[in-house]
Amino acid sequence: MINQELIQEFKGYINQSRRIVFLTGAGISTESGIPDFRSADGLYSNPKNINIFDISAFLADPKPFYQFSAEFLEVMENSLPNPAHLAIARLQETHLVTVVTQNIDDLHQRAGSRTVWCVHGNLEFSRCVKCGHRIATQEIYPVIRKGEIPYHSCGGVYKPEVTFFGESLPEEDWLYSQKAIEEADLLCVVGSSLAVYPAAALPGYRSRKCRLVIINREPTPLDTEADLVIHGDAGKILSNPA
Ligand code: NAD
């Protein structure tokens, strides 16, 4: 049951703001059918998946990642933006909205959000880890779908331009995210455990006049310093008609 007083308070913050940043994590997409990492039924609930997005593990043996990707890519391809993605996109009609996402599922873009910074990269291109050759990931989908490893002709393995643990973040997306948060009147974190650094440090760039709202199923380390915390499902909260 969503607390309607909290929803009203959230709406008041939106009405009083001009520049809004949504910092989103895997939790915003669970209602689209894509599992997150750290929920009870998330990807990490299977011990096999713990090192899936670890760069050292990938370079040592890319097979587990590509075996996992065969199924995960299909789940992502078949998923649709949910009411949370759509509500954020709709807010562009009245506010200056920037989305900073840790997600690689493209659902904000497909919902119609125009300014989306992907601080953990995206799946659009892949790169050979040996010679750096870049290719549209679509071109190697047939190999990935079979659970096989996509190789470049030089013998190197292709890796999607998604940030793995142990890699640095895409610089441009990071700098634009930081700037948007510095200039925001309202920062709204949605569906993130705020456990993955450096992305979890982004709220620290907000100014003193910027309000912080956290919408998440479970508590996060920043709840105590937020102006408003709403626990529950992002889709239900963001699309709430109250
Ligand atoms: P996380 O798994 O650490 O945390 C997700 C949080 O969302 C949890 O605290 C959970 O309680 C909450 N949550 C789950 N469903 C929710 C819902 N419907 N409404 C509100 N809250 C909900 O995810 P994270 O903080 O994003 O960090 C983990 C990393 O996972 C990120 O780097 C991200 O790139 C990667 N990831 C992305 C996807 C995707 O693209 N959809 C999927 C899995 C993992």
Side-chain angles (χ1 to χ4, degrees), residues 26-27 30-31 37-38 102 104-105 120 192-193 216-218 234:
T30 57
E31 289 165 77
F37 275 167
R38 292 179 181 78
Q102 301 171 73
I104 54 168
D105 56 29
H120 289 161
S192 176
S193 61
N216 207 58
R217 276 186 186 153
E218 293 160 300

